[in-house]
Amino acid sequence: MLGELFQPMHLLLILVIALLLFGPGKLPQIAANMGKSIREFKSALSAPDEVKVAAPQQQAEAQPQAAAQTAAQPAQPAPSAAQAEAPKQEQKSA
């Protein structure tokens, strides 16, 4: 069934329809962009997956630095319920 689809007359008909739709100036650009996208797709399929994993030593060094940064920052109290509702009331009255 698919073998009948790609007969020369069918391909010629498809080419004529594409020529009428896009015009002679756009067809080379469309073909070039299609070729580029197919090449990029093939290269993406054949490229090995890149997974970056930090070494255990680097992770161990990073954890104390992060803990020191959080300890250096003062703890901010959570806003009370009255403070949280105050902007809402102002927006309703406006």
Side-chain angles (χ1 to χ4, degrees):
M1 184 169 170
L2 281 178
E4 297 172 4
L5 182 65
F6 296 113
Q7 291 181 358
M9 284 302 291
H10 292 152
L11 293 176
L12 185 62
L13 181 65
I14 292 171
L15 182 63
V16 168
I17 292 172
L19 184 63
L20 290 174
L21 287 175
F22 299 111
K26 284 282 189 181
L27 281 182
Q29 293 173 356
I30 293 171
N33 288 337
M34 259 178 127
K36 285 180 187 177
S37 63
I38 290 172
R39 270 186 254 123
E40 288 177 11
F41 182 73
K42 284 182 180 180
S43 67
L45 286 178
S46 63
D49 293 336
E50 294 182 18
V51 178
K52 295 181 180 179
V53 178
Q57 294 174 349
Q58 292 174 350
Q59 289 176 352
E61 292 172 2
Q63 288 175 352
Q65 291 174 353
Q69 288 176 353
T70 56
Q73 295 176 350
Q76 298 179 358
S80 66
Q83 289 175 346
E85 290 182 15
K88 292 180 185 176
Q89 291 174 353
E90 292 175 4
Q91 290 176 355
K92 287 181 183 177
S93 64

